[in-house]
Amino acid sequence: MSEPNDRLLDEYLRGESPVSQRYRDLDADEVPPRLDAAVLAQARAAVESRRGRKPAWRKWGAPLALAASAVMAVAIVLEIGVQDEVRAPSPRLEQSTSMERPQETATLQRSQVDLPAPVADAPPALAEPDEARKQAVQVQAVRERGSAAMRSSAPPASTEREAIEAITMSGAEVPADTDAVSADAVDSPPPAATVAMAPPPVTAQRTAATLRSAPPAPPPSSAALRAPRLEPEVWLERIRELRREDKVLEADEQWREFVAAYPDFDVDALDVARPRA
Amino acid sequence: MEADALDDSALMLRYRDGDLRAFERLYARHKGPLYRYLQRLCRDTDVASDLFQEVWGKVIASRERYEPRAQFNTFLFRIAHNCAMDHFRRAGRVAQMQTDDVAELEEVLAGNEVERPEIQASAAQVKADFKRALDALPPEQRDVFVLYEESGLSLEEIGNITGVAMDTAKSRLRYALGKLRAALKHHQPASMAS
């Protein structure tokens, strides 16, 4: 039975079988139009949903980009701020000290007079301002030394800056009262000169701008620098203290100013406050 | 390039990229054979319509993963075959009429012949008898025969689609042909029937 079937199969595979012909003569139902419409609508919907669909990473792309930008901006601002903290003190100190010299000096001198001597076991929080004040006095002394040198001979241009920078490097803070300057600046006359400095750091710009717009105080006179005067005995004691500390230049300067302020005051010929021959 | 000139795989790839006209062309090419295959395999127009829609839905859904490694025909009819088998499994009809015995079919046809008057069969009668014989084939044989007729695929490809070896597909086709030929034999002159 398999032999005739093989023959039929070969005939069929060659396309010569009446079976294929009969099969093709069968009535064939056409695909109903509703099926056509349903399938094509499904295909169309798939294409449209693909067009309208964004990849997941795209959906979150804009918020992520925004967040990344914000983080970067904050990081940059913080980084610049940190750099300013490192860089800025020197010019700021220079500015504030040069612009506020009269008030600052007066304040320092007043504090020197009014404040009691530092207690040896004072808490660090209280000791630090004293240390800063001492260093500010040193700055002042260097500045005065510089001005004295300027009066006497060629000015050591960088002496004052170097001294200030040295103090700044030591980490001490020099009291600055820039807010007071900017507050006073509103009604003050225009500046005769502006503070010349390298491109100011961002965080220092406000102070620098304030200082630029702030009118410089009138050139401080020697009397104004020392007003109010110390009592003669107190002043002498301070000079003696400077001598004991081997701060010869400063002591000499103080002595000169003392003599100028109190020409008639009787000082013992052997007083240590006097300059050594 | 016009969509009409592209082969099936290229059309499917274009549809994957969003070209709806490519799909329309592809659908127009294959809807007839696929519908007939399902209709004759299932012998139920409603079931065939449901399966037809299901098959195209799967083609559409799998367009992103489609790769032209085989003929589109193979891809399409594999889906159709699997959908039909799932349907049969659900309906519990797989084991229905599983007979490879041509003699048994001949008995069925002989019974039909007894019911008919001994007259010259008209073309309509031949067609009806052939249709009856086709529907009487076991699903596996009918599947292979209709696939061969409608898809134009080789026996090897049909074996792949139906999940059997080529020899098995060939054997099923051989049995199917024997039964169909036997149905036709009653309407042929004695010289042709031999």
Side-chain angles (χ1 to χ4, degrees):
Chain A
M1 185 160 161
S2 66
E3 196 172 312
N5 278 346
D6 284 342
R7 188 165 47 83
L8 281 176
L9 179 64
D10 292 340
E11 189 182 79
Y12 175 76
L13 293 177
R14 285 197 304 271
E16 299 168 357
S17 170
V19 174
S20 285
Q21 185 59 44
R22 294 296 177 209
Y23 178 81
R24 296 189 195 292
D25 289 343
L26 290 176
D27 293 329
D29 289 341
E30 293 297 315
V31 180
R34 64 170 182 84
L35 267 185
D36 286 342
V39 170
L40 292 175
Q42 199 175 350
R44 191 176 304 111
V47 168
E48 284 168 1
S49 72
R50 181 178 183 266
R51 283 181 189 144
R53 191 179 65 219
K54 285 181 177 176
W57 67 268
R58 265 194 177 180
K59 193 166 62 178
W60 291 99
L64 282 176
L66 197 63
S69 302
V71 168
M72 282 185 65
V74 169
I76 289 169
V77 166
L78 288 176
E79 180 65 20
I80 289 173
V82 169
Q83 287 176 358
D84 287 345
E85 289 292 324
V86 174
R87 257 186 275 154
S90 175
R92 199 184 329 172
L93 176 64
E94 189 176 8
Q95 268 188 343
S96 59
T97 51
S98 63
M99 296 297 291
E100 299 163 14
R101 188 173 297 165
Q103 286 184 346
E104 179 190 329
T105 309
T107 307
L108 288 175
Q109 287 178 344
R110 203 167 40 241
S111 64
Q112 281 276 326
V113 172
D114 298 338
L115 286 174
V119 183
D121 57 353
L126 294 175
E128 279 178 11
D130 287 343
E131 182 64 25
R133 235 176 261 122
K134 274 185 183 176
Q135 289 183 341
V137 169
Q138 288 176 357
V139 169
Q140 180 62 27
V142 171
R143 197 177 285 136
E144 287 172 359
R145 191 168 63 230
S147 63
M150 193 186 303
R151 282 195 295 273
S152 61
S153 62
S158 62
T159 310
E160 181 176 334
R161 181 173 301 178
E162 286 169 1
I164 293 170
E165 284 177 355
I167 292 168
T168 306
M169 291 297 285
S170 72
E173 288 182 11
V174 176
D177 196 7
T178 53
D179 287 344
V181 171
S182 61
D184 294 343
V186 177
D187 297 321
S188 303
T194 56
V195 177
M197 56 187 294
V202 175
T203 54
Q205 276 181 347
R206 189 178 65 84
T207 308
T210 307
L211 289 172
R212 275 192 207 101
S213 64
S221 64
S222 176
L225 282 172
R226 298 296 166 239
R229 287 177 185 163
L230 299 174
E231 291 299 318
E233 281 302 334
V234 175
W235 200 338
L236 281 174
E237 183 56 33
R238 183 185 167 198
I239 295 170
R240 288 181 202 117
E241 183 69 25
L242 289 171
R243 297 266 182 230
R244 278 193 290 273
E245 291 173 3
D246 285 337
K247 295 176 179 175
V248 179
L249 289 174
E250 192 176 353
D252 288 348
E253 177 68 18
Q254 292 288 316
W255 172 255
R256 276 194 298 274
E257 289 179 9
F258 174 80
V259 169
Y262 299 102
D264 299 326
F265 191 82
D266 189 16
V267 182
D268 193 286
L270 297 176
D271 197 315
V272 293
R274 286 177 176 276
R276 291 168 195 168
Chain B
M1 185 184 285
E2 284 297 315
D4 290 1
L6 295 172
D7 66 11
D8 294 340
S9 297
L11 288 173
M12 187 62 184
L13 290 174
R14 285 180 70 157
Y15 174 60
R16 185 186 68 182
D17 296 337
D19 184 352
L20 187 61
R21 275 194 55 78
F23 179 83
E24 288 170 353
R25 183 63 201 151
L26 198 62
Y27 177 73
R29 278 184 194 174
H30 295 282
K31 67 176 184 175
L34 179 68
Y35 189 69
R36 286 192 296 274
Y37 165 70
L38 292 170
Q39 202 180 33
R40 285 166 184 167
L41 182 63
C42 301
R43 299 174 300 179
D44 185 315
T45 304
D46 290 339
V47 170
S49 295
D50 289 346
L51 291 177
F52 180 83
Q53 201 166 344
E54 184 183 343
V55 170
W56 282 110
K58 289 190 175 183
V59 170
I60 290 166
S62 63
R63 70 193 184 283
E64 302 280 2
R65 302 187 302 275
Y66 177 76
E67 289 179 17
R69 284 179 296 198
Q71 289 185 61
F72 178 77
N73 248 5
T74 310
F75 171 71
L76 178 68
F77 279 93
R78 184 193 303 275
I79 294 174
H81 169 81
N82 291 337
C83 286
M85 290 304 113
D86 289 345
H87 164 75
F88 289 146
R89 211 168 285 127
R90 285 194 299 268
R93 288 167 57 189
V94 176
Q96 186 183 7
M97 285 193 72
Q98 287 197 2
T99 171
D100 288 345
D101 192 353
V102 175
E104 188 179 333
L105 179 65
E106 283 178 336
E107 285 175 15
V108 172
L109 293 171
N112 290 339
E113 189 181 23
V114 170
E115 291 170 8
R116 293 196 304 271
E118 295 282 348
I119 57 169
Q120 184 76 24
S122 67
Q125 189 66 48
V126 173
K127 201 181 288 182
D129 283 349
F130 185 82
K131 178 74 167 56
R132 196 176 298 117
L134 180 63
D135 289 348
L137 288 176
E140 296 87 356
Q141 295 173 18
R142 191 167 62 250
D143 190 14
V144 171
F145 176 75
V146 179
L147 263 179
Y148 190 86
E149 286 292 336
E150 297 294 349
S151 70
L153 296 172
S154 68
L155 278 173
E156 186 177 6
E157 288 167 323
I158 289 172
N160 284 336
I161 286 174
T162 56
V164 296
M166 189 188 78
D167 286 343
T168 305
K170 193 173 181 179
S171 173
R172 288 176 178 177
L173 182 60
R174 184 189 300 120
Y175 280 115
L177 287 172
K179 291 169 186 175
L180 294 172
R181 186 67 188 252
L184 293 174
K185 189 165 66 177
H186 301 283
H187 303 291
Q188 290 172 342
S191 58
M192 286 185 66
S194 64

